[in-house]
Amino acid sequence: MVIALNVMNVALAIAFIALALGLIFSVIRLLIGPTPGDRILALDTMVINALGLVIAIGIFQGIQIYFEVALLIAMLGFVSTVALARFILRGDVIE
Amino acid sequence: MTLEIIGIYAIAVCLLIGAAFAMVGVIGLIKFNDPMTRLHAPTKVGTMGIGMLLLASVLHSVVFGDGSMHELLIMAFLFVTAPISAHFLAKVSIHNRTTETPPPTSRDGTWSTLNSPDTTPGPDKPD
């Protein structure tokens, strides 16, 4: 039991590190990305990584309330991605 | 008891798979050198990575608490919206002509996002 819990904690730490590195790499792509599409894609990936971090914190603390935070972040990320893409495609968000 | 230990190991395996897919997708986002190829890598983060993390969360609540399936809602939402946002980003790449010229279309003259009156000569519109 103790060994299994230790393994799960190590896996959780690895997940935290991977998601944090994902955020850092997305910021690098956001800074150097040559085209606007790359920048929108980097922002979308940042939202997804933040969502994964929230889920990992929920597993770490064992609290169910982080589910609603994750759902809100997912919906806002999708809407903002579509809004930015439409702004570039049409020059306006809502016509 | 034994079932609990198996559940905890399953949580660990799901977390590791999710972390690996998140890492692979973001490395692809950094290293690829064309906007369309860069578009294909981070989609794995959204579907497999977050899906596995949510599966780990479901297993965690089943093993340690009284179980909840709410996380499947986020999974369904992400699986529905990831192709839509990827489609919009591909349209942005075609629209800005930052990718290679897409293949010719079968029915119409050109791709719809490139078919604006500023670039293609068409019938005169009434103002």
Side-chain angles (χ1 to χ4, degrees), chain B residues 75-123:
Chain B
M75 216 188 285
F77 184 79
L78 279 178
F79 280 15
V80 169
T81 56
I84 301 174
S85 54
H87 170 79
F88 268 101
L89 290 173
K91 268 183 90 171
V92 165
S93 281
I94 293 177
H95 184 77
N96 285 339
R97 292 185 169 80
T98 49
T99 178
E100 290 177 17
T101 311
T105 54
S106 58
R107 284 189 310 173
D108 299 325
T110 180
W111 290 74
S112 66
T113 185
L114 296 178
N115 191 14
S116 71
D118 304 333
T119 56
T120 53

Side-chain angles (χ1 to χ4, degrees), chain A residues 1 3-5 7-8 11-12 14-15 17-19 21-22 25-26 28-29 34-38 40-42 44-45 48-49 51-52 55 58-59 62 64 67 70-71 74-75 78 81-82 85-86 88-89, chain B residues 1 4-5 8-9 11-12 15-16 19 22-23 26-27 29-32 35 38-39 42 45-46 50 53-54 56-57 60-61 64 68 70-71 73-74 77-78 81 84-85 88-89 91-92 95-96 98 113:
Chain A
M1 187 73 181
I3 301 173
L5 278 177
V7 167
M8 195 194 76
L12 201 53
I14 291 174
I17 293 170
L19 290 166
L21 277 178
F25 286 172
S26 308
I28 293 173
R29 178 50 76 189
T35 67
D38 286 327
I40 301 174
L41 182 60
D44 191 43
T45 314
I48 295 281
N49 275 307
L51 176 65
I55 295 166
I59 296 175
Q64 289 294 318
F67 147 75
L71 190 56
M75 295 172 115
F78 170 67
T81 304
V82 171
R86 269 196 76 79
I88 288 181
L89 282 175
Chain B
M1 188 64 193
E4 224 173 21
I5 292 178
I8 295 173
Y9 277 121
I11 296 170
L15 281 172
L16 285 179
M23 210 60 231
V26 178
I27 287 174
L29 177 70
I30 279 290
K31 283 196 72 69
F32 286 157
R38 276 200 287 269
L39 179 58
V45 187
I50 301 297
L53 287 180
L54 287 169
S57 181
H60 186 274
S61 71
F64 290 99
S68 73
H70 297 302
E71 284 85 355
L73 195 61
I74 308 179
F77 184 79
L78 279 178
T81 56
I84 301 174
S85 54
F88 268 101
L89 290 173
K91 268 183 90 171
V92 165
H95 184 77
N96 285 339
T98 49
T113 185

